[in-house]
Amino acid sequence: MRSMTIRRGASLFGLGGFLAVLLGAAVVAGEPDSKTYWDVKDLRPGMKGVGKTVMVGTKLEEFGAEVLGVMRDVSPGRDMVLCRLTGCNLEHAGIIQGMSGSPIYIDGKLIGAVAFAWEFGKDPIAGVTPFQQMVQYVRSNDRRLAAEAKEKEAGAPIQASRLSFSTELVGFGDEPAPNRSSMPLTVSGGGAGMIPIATPLAATGFSPRAMSILETRLRPLGMAPMSGGGAGEQIRREEGDKPLAPGSPLSIAMVMGDFDLSGIGTVTHVEGDRVYGFGHPMFGLGACEFPLMTGYIHTVYPRTSVSMKMGSPLKVVGVLDTDVSTCVAGRIGPKPDMLPMTVHVKTGRYSDARTYNVEMVREPALLSSLIMSVLTSAIDTEGNLPEELTARLKADVKLKDLEPITLSDTFSGPRYTGPSGASALFGPLASVVNILVRNPMAPVRIERIDCDIEIEQGRKVATIESVRLLSDTVEPGKELKASVVLKPYKGERQTVEIALAIPADFPEGSHEAVFCDLPNSVRRRFRNEPALTEPRDLEAILKSLHIQIEPKRTGIYAHVQAPERGLAVAGQDLPNLPGSARAVFASKREIPATPIRSDLIQVAATPWVVEGAHTLRFTVAKDAGLSLSLK
């Protein structure tokens, strides 16, 4: 099973409505009759049967299947039936991506779902997940969902697990690598190993740069992103209302609207309103909430490694609520709880403004990647962006029962152009959302996201070239004044004046003044205030976010370090400690204690995105004016 971080509280928002229905009846009440599917121990090599799948359109076709053997315990509690498939041109195309979930029957009884394949295999030999184990794993997950829903209904507090968690945004330092989970059940290494059949991911409206983001972030999770298109109106009208049946296309949406992203697989079994499919996990999330849709297959694209079905989603018919190691499962009828997002884009002085509306799944492990790919496609709609650009981004993240979070800033420079430019531009927003929905302190529900993006030609960047202090000695209670020389890109040098007030009780002696850009300023604040990196509650997380998103990149930030004001112990600020207490913590190596410092900070606004840093030393001394006059 893929090892992906599973969120707690956020998933309960959308699932609560229809999970309550599960409580009114026994979990096993709607399960398939065990007499209708095979027990693994009764299967023998040489037994022959038939399978069902769709190769074109929505028409069910049958293929032959011969049992070659049963592989026991391919992973804990998991068996696998090996079958050689024939017919439906499988001898030529091999096992096909998109066949995941295709049911196989012997004597009218269901064996299970086609789910695994060998890359570059000469024969269409498939690994089949026993339906018996699909039912068992779904039943276990249903019990857990029902128990969680009951606890929530009773008002039990949600237990927040302590995850590896950072509140630092992408864009203020090195960008972290995307979360990559390993493929499950890889029996052997390299291309020779048996692996779950990758799920074709039909991407409609996404630009090449956005596809690169999806490929990088979702391919390691078993997805096969490919550019595609939506089904025509006539197909939607004629085929969209056909009920899901064993062997029919099963589409699972992640993004819907002006951009569309949907995985394509196959239905294994339908029991009442319960739908089983895939025969392997999609992401291995356990409880989840994705739109469950009917689908349409345009054609099969044969390839040397593993061929794939090219399909399109048609109509939302329910919710996929279970993603376990043996299959995915959903219910027909409920409506998915999606996150709406609106993007307004203007990519040049003479271009028309465009508006895009999408809905995205609320899955925390996917949300930042989906936001990045949607925003990237939005700015790429009119083609290549200027080699030198300045972008203004305003994003409002509206939260339930909390004040909205607004990111409004200007971005410019070489890192915002080229193939990875969009990732750098939208990284801070994606990080904000990621931190909110994956925080381990308390559930946070995002009601909607509204973005305004304006891109103009030209690089409006200025580098801090030098700094000169008006005087290198200043009296307590007076101002430290400096002239900062900026060198704009392809422009004449400019001087910006900045003055920072020194408190009357500031200690005399030699001190350091730092004049820097926003990333350096934020890093300095995090270094001085350890509690910002180890938030103990949601309020502290929100404080950390505001510290990073409220300042502007167009400012020059003057910092002067103030005296220590206590210790931070295990993420808890302990200000104004007496010397005896500080000595105790200093002697306890097992209790790490970090000094708390705070800077005096002053900002000077500029018309450019500022880059660079400069450090100077100065002296705080009483009667500084008198000492200067005597020199």
Side-chain angles (χ1 to χ4, degrees):
M1 181 173 176
R2 295 171 174 82
S3 57
M4 178 179 289
T5 304
I6 301 174
R7 76 273 189 272
R8 238 348 176 185
S11 64
L12 296 179
F13 282 113
L15 294 173
F18 65 86
L19 284 182
V21 178
L22 296 177
L23 301 175
V27 174
V28 297
E31 285 187 1
D33 187 342
S34 60
K35 296 178 182 178
T36 62
Y37 54 85
W38 285 87
D39 192 315
V40 178
K41 68 177 184 293
D42 296 328
L43 295 173
R44 299 289 182 270
M47 298 176 72
K48 295 185 178 181
V50 296
K52 294 181 180 180
T53 197
V54 170
M55 306 299 282
V56 177
T58 58
K59 180 183 177 182
L60 289 172
E61 298 185 43
E62 291 189 351
F63 56 87
E66 179 184 355
V67 176
L68 301 178
V70 176
M71 298 175 65
R72 305 303 297 264
D73 298 321
V74 293
S75 71
R78 292 285 309 278
D79 301 324
M80 183 174 298
V81 184
L82 296 179
C83 290
R84 176 181 283 109
L85 309 185
T86 57
C88 289
N89 200 34
L90 294 176
E91 294 87 346
H92 171 66
I95 307 302
I96 301 168
Q97 293 176 0
M99 282 188 71
S100 295
S102 298
I104 294 179
Y105 304 85
I106 293 178
D107 297 332
K109 290 176 64 175
L110 180 59
I111 292 181
V114 174
F116 296 83
W118 282 262
E119 288 186 316
F120 305 103
K122 291 186 176 180
D123 290 329
I125 295 176
V128 176
T129 300
F131 186 67
Q132 177 186 32
Q133 293 171 3
M134 293 170 65
V135 172
Q136 290 172 353
Y137 279 69
V138 171
R139 177 194 305 153
S140 176
N141 193 63
D142 281 351
R143 286 172 176 160
R144 183 172 66 83
L145 293 178
E148 289 180 354
K150 189 173 183 179
E151 290 175 1
K152 184 184 178 187
E153 189 177 71
I158 297 173
Q159 298 299 317
S161 58
R162 289 291 299 181
L163 308 176
S164 176
F165 184 72
S166 172
T167 58
E168 294 187 65
L169 303 183
V170 171
F172 292 103
D174 296 330
E175 182 171 352
N179 180 27
R180 298 186 178 187
S181 298
S182 58
M183 294 287 288
L185 296 177
T186 301
V187 176
S188 61
M194 177 181 65
I195 59 175
I197 303 171
T199 303
L201 203 57
T204 301
F206 287 88
S207 69
R209 283 203 301 178
M211 292 300 297
S212 177
I213 293 173
L214 294 172
E215 179 76 18
T216 299
R217 294 170 179 256
L218 299 184
R219 173 73 70 170
L221 306 181
M223 300 285 108
M226 59 181 182
S227 296
E233 187 60 37
Q234 183 176 352
I235 292 176
R236 291 176 178 272
R237 185 172 57 253
E238 295 176 355
E239 307 288 351
D241 289 327
K242 287 188 176 180
L244 293 174
S248 65
L250 176 63
S251 183
I252 300 171
M254 300 177 204
V255 179
M256 299 189 301
D258 291 324
F259 303 107
D260 193 282
L261 187 66
S262 302
I264 301 292
T266 303
V267 175
T268 304
H269 183 75
V270 179
E271 186 75 23
D273 66 348
R274 195 55 150 160
V275 178
Y276 300 81
F278 281 30
H280 59 68
M282 185 169 64
F283 296 110
L285 298 170
C288 60
E289 186 168 4
F290 291 80
L292 190 69
M293 304 180 71
T294 56
Y296 183 89
I297 305 301
H298 299 284
T299 189
V300 172
Y301 179 61
R303 298 191 304 169
T304 304
S305 55
V306 179
S307 302
M308 67 167 57
K309 292 183 180 182
M310 299 181 70
S312 297
L314 293 180
K315 183 179 180 180
V316 177
V317 294
V319 169
L320 185 88
D321 59 14
T322 302
D323 179 17
V324 291
S325 64
T326 55
C327 65
V328 299
R331 295 192 179 276
I332 298 173
K335 293 183 178 180
D337 178 26
M338 305 288 280
L339 172 60
M341 179 174 176
T342 299
V343 185
H344 302 281
V345 178
K346 186 174 177 59
T347 56
R349 182 182 300 178
Y350 304 107
S351 65
D352 294 329
R354 297 175 180 268
T355 300
Y356 303 94
N357 292 285
V358 297
E359 291 182 313
M360 297 176 290
V361 295
R362 293 181 174 274
E363 173 52 49
L366 299 175
L367 199 50
S368 63
S369 297
L370 300 180
I371 289 172
M372 294 274 284
S373 58
V374 167
L375 291 174
T376 300
S377 295
I379 65 172
D380 286 347
T381 301
E382 294 191 11
N384 293 333
L385 295 174
E387 285 297 320
E388 296 178 359
L389 62 81
T390 297
R392 293 176 178 83
L393 170 66
K394 183 176 184 295
D396 290 314
V397 182
K398 295 179 173 59
L399 308 176
K400 182 178 181 182
D401 300 328
L402 295 169
E403 290 296 317
I405 291 181
T406 298
L407 170 63
S408 180
D409 211 344
T410 303
F411 303 83
S412 190
R415 71 190 303 257
Y416 301 108
T417 61
S420 60
S423 295
L425 175 59
F426 300 123
L429 173 59
S431 293
V432 167
V433 172
N434 191 52
I435 289 168
L436 289 172
V437 299
R438 299 183 73 168
N439 89 83
M441 304 304 173
V444 174
R445 177 179 173 83
I446 300 177
E447 296 287 359
R448 65 176 296 109
I449 301 173
D450 294 306
C451 296
D452 283 279
I453 307 163
E454 184 177 347
I455 295 176
E456 63 180 56
Q457 192 163 357
R459 186 186 299 180
K460 293 188 176 181
V461 175
T463 303
I464 297 177
E465 190 172 79
S466 64
V467 180
R468 183 179 64 87
L469 296 179
L470 183 64
S471 171
D472 58 4
T473 304
V474 61
E475 291 185 34
K478 299 295 181 66
E479 290 183 331
L480 176 68
K481 297 181 180 180
S483 296
V484 180
V485 177
L486 296 177
K487 176 59 176 73
Y489 178 72
K490 294 182 179 180
E492 298 296 325
R493 289 172 176 80
Q494 304 288 330
T495 300
V496 177
E497 305 295 334
I498 187 168
L500 188 149
I502 302 298
D505 59 350
F506 203 78
E508 295 186 81
S510 179
H511 296 274
E512 191 176 77
V514 177
F515 300 84
C516 62
D517 56 21
L518 175 60
N520 278 294
S521 174
V522 169
R523 281 194 291 267
R524 187 177 176 91
R525 291 201 63 178
F526 270 71
R527 186 169 59 249
N528 287 343
E529 302 179 57
L532 293 175
T533 62
E534 298 181 25
R536 303 180 65 86
D537 52 33
L538 182 59
E539 183 180 355
I541 291 174
L542 296 176
K543 176 186 176 182
S544 176
L545 290 178
H546 282 293
I547 284 174
Q548 296 175 82
I549 65 176
E550 288 179 353
K552 309 301 181 189
R553 294 172 187 264
T554 51
I556 301 171
Y557 294 83
H559 286 253
V560 170
Q561 185 171 291
E564 290 183 15
R565 54 182 178 85
L567 294 177
V569 180
Q572 181 68 46
D573 283 353
L574 300 176
N576 304 318
L577 285 176
S580 58
R582 295 169 68 91
V584 169
F585 282 115
S587 65
K588 302 286 186 180
R589 292 186 178 182
E590 66 276 11
I591 307 177
T594 308
I596 304 171
R597 298 182 174 92
S598 60
D599 283 358
L600 307 174
I601 303 174
Q602 183 62 45
V603 185
T606 80
W608 306 280
V609 173
V610 177
E611 294 181 347
H614 233 70
T615 302
L616 296 173
R617 298 202 68 84
F618 70 101
T619 300
V620 175
K622 294 180 180 179
D623 302 322
L626 178 61
S627 62
L628 284 174
S629 66
L630 295 176
K631 287 183 180 180

